[in-house]
Amino acid sequence: MKLLIPGPVTTRAEVRAAMAQDMAPWDNDFRPMYASVKDRVRAIAGGDAETHVCLALQGCGHFSTEAAVRTFLPAGGRMLIPMVGAYADRMARLAREAGRVVVELQADHQVPLDTGLVAAALAADSTISHVGMVYSETGSGVIHDPAALGAVVRAAGRRMIVDAVSAFGALPFDISAQPEVDAMVFTSNKCFEGMPGLGFCVARIDRLVECAGNAGSWSFDFSDIYAQIGRSGAGSFRFTPPAQVLAAFEVALDIYDAEGGQPARLARYVANRDALYEGVAALGLQPYLGRNLQGPIVMNVHAPADPAWNLQAFVDGLKARGYLISNFYNTPQPSFRVGLIGAITPEDMRGFVRAIDAVLREIGVRQPKSAQMAA
């Protein structure tokens, strides 16, 4: 089964095989592996060992986002969040329920964020200490620019938290060039094509020390996770981790390096995007975003304007042919969402387009163009 969703993603057999072993997280063979994985990821993020550290947290990407908000903002702290889509909405809820004050900045969901709006909002409110941004908005497929936004935040003397959950590993990011970034969070699956179960944060060491005591939570506190290094060493977790997930992530990193790292991973995802975009257009279907705005992480395609259209029947038909997509709508207008990431190739995407054609015909949806164009 090919998982064409933005996470969990399709993984390679070698990654799955790494899960088939029992491991003890306190064992002296496990600790060096964990320490090495963190160092490798920090380096991918551009962080220097003297100034930045990579930390892991059990759970999904949302757990790391909440932990970052709790760690770097005190209770009652004010955070500007550009509302660019579903995952910005989630960041706002996480922040509010953690007792932080969210200042919402309304933005167009279908285009990259206008950083001038952020500059104006920060100039108008000196009490805002942080900006929270979503790098890759998987609700819409739009990619936003952390470097451009960071320049605005830095000029205003504020701090930033970057949700790079579905971006890091494929889209470029250099934390050393953005001193305003307190933390960038991501997960073990998505663009690294590992198994789900671990969230990560690459953060400034000085800020972790300065912000100790902010979190109001023992579990969701990156400052305390960092302090654990001093207490027990770089290879130690505070609480029982998903050890097998970490073992699989190490293998996924080996594959990532062998493929050519971030540039090669991005190139494959771009090729996936192009194959799907061209394929669905050849079937007469309309992608949600224009070609110049479509990112390489997830693509939404407008649902056919046909009374026979039924999303669940469509999903079931695709699943029967070996492809699984989301069975819910993420956009204001009905659309089906397709993940472009994971251990997927452009040829897989072309096969998926052929499956779309077959399923639409099966459920009685008429297509304005010939299926021969997608063959």
Side-chain angles (χ1 to χ4, degrees):
M1 183 69 65
K2 301 291 185 182
L3 298 181
L4 297 186
I5 55 178
V9 300
T10 300
T11 57
R12 288 177 49 156
E14 304 96 308
V15 174
R16 297 191 296 273
M19 297 276 289
Q21 55 184 315
D22 291 325
M23 304 187 72
W26 322 122
D27 183 71
N28 287 336
D29 289 334
F30 178 86
R31 291 171 182 253
M33 178 177 67
Y34 174 43
S36 171
V37 162
K38 292 192 299 177
D39 285 345
R40 292 171 71 179
V41 172
R42 173 188 47 75
I44 293 168
D48 185 88
E50 299 300 313
T51 56
H52 292 88
V53 66
C54 177
L55 304 168
L57 177 67
Q58 301 88 327
C60 64
H62 281 56
F63 286 22
S64 292
T65 300
E66 178 174 345
V69 170
R70 285 181 173 274
T71 298
F72 296 105
L73 277 81
R78 292 171 61 80
M79 182 179 196
L80 180 72
I81 299 180
M83 306 307 291
V84 295
Y87 287 79
D89 293 346
R90 293 186 182 194
M91 181 186 284
R93 177 173 175 176
L94 290 171
R96 287 193 185 96
E97 296 197 4
R100 278 62 179 171
V101 177
V102 174
V103 179
E104 293 189 1
L105 178 63
Q106 298 306 314
D108 188 336
H109 290 196
Q110 293 185 261
V111 297
L113 177 66
D114 179 352
T115 59
L117 297 176
V118 177
L122 294 177
D125 190 342
S126 62
T127 67
I128 294 170
S129 67
H130 283 72
V131 175
M133 79 158 293
V134 177
Y135 191 168
S136 167
E137 174 51 68
T138 55
S140 66
V142 174
I143 305 299
H144 303 280
D145 188 344
L149 179 58
V152 166
V153 173
R154 187 164 63 249
R158 316 299 171 88
R159 312 297 306 167
M160 190 158 82
I161 293 171
V162 180
D163 171 353
V165 169
S166 66
F168 184 54
L171 300 179
F173 188 84
D174 183 0
I175 200 168
S176 67
Q178 296 195 236
E180 74 285 351
V181 174
D182 279 346
M184 180 271 294
V185 299
F186 63 99
T187 67
S188 53
N189 73 102
K190 311 260 184 203
C191 296
F192 283 107
E193 301 179 3
M195 306 302 292
L198 275 171
F200 288 89
C201 165
V202 177
R204 291 186 59 91
I205 293 172
D206 57 354
R207 292 291 294 154
L208 286 164
V209 173
E210 292 169 4
C211 294
N214 276 354
S217 166
W218 190 11
S219 295
F220 297 103
D221 186 352
F222 279 124
S223 287
D224 193 60
I225 294 173
Y226 176 68
Q228 177 74 13
I229 295 174
R231 295 191 294 264
S232 302
S236 64
F237 274 86
R238 299 176 305 161
F239 315 125
T240 303
Q244 290 82 357
V245 170
L246 188 72
F249 187 53
E250 182 182 46
V251 173
L253 285 177
D254 291 342
I255 294 170
Y256 180 83
D257 289 343
E259 184 177 2
Q262 178 268 320
R265 189 60 52 95
L266 177 59
R268 176 157 57 84
Y269 292 169
V270 167
N272 290 346
R273 176 199 65 190
D274 293 346
L276 181 60
Y277 205 101
E278 292 161 9
V280 296
L283 291 177
L285 300 173
Q286 181 184 357
Y288 183 72
L289 298 175
R291 187 68 177 264
N292 63 323
L293 295 175
Q294 178 59 61
I297 306 299
V298 65
M299 184 187 300
N300 289 287
V301 180
H302 284 287
D306 188 299
W309 168 256
N310 179 289
L311 177 60
Q312 189 62 59
F314 181 63
V315 171
D316 291 344
L318 291 172
K319 183 177 179 180
R321 290 164 172 81
Y323 301 95
L324 189 62
I325 68 167
S326 301
N327 62 350
F328 50 86
Y329 296 127
N330 272 93
T331 54
Q333 302 83 28
S335 66
F336 60 90
R337 183 172 71 163
V338 184
L340 306 170
I341 61 177
I344 298 295
T345 67
E347 184 53 41
D348 291 322
M349 284 299 176
R350 286 186 279 271
F352 175 60
V353 170
R354 291 190 289 271
I356 291 174
D357 176 35
V359 174
L360 290 178
R361 291 174 180 277
E362 182 177 87
I363 64 176
V365 172
R366 292 171 295 177
Q367 299 168 74
K369 294 188 180 179
S370 170
Q372 295 302 313
M373 299 178 68

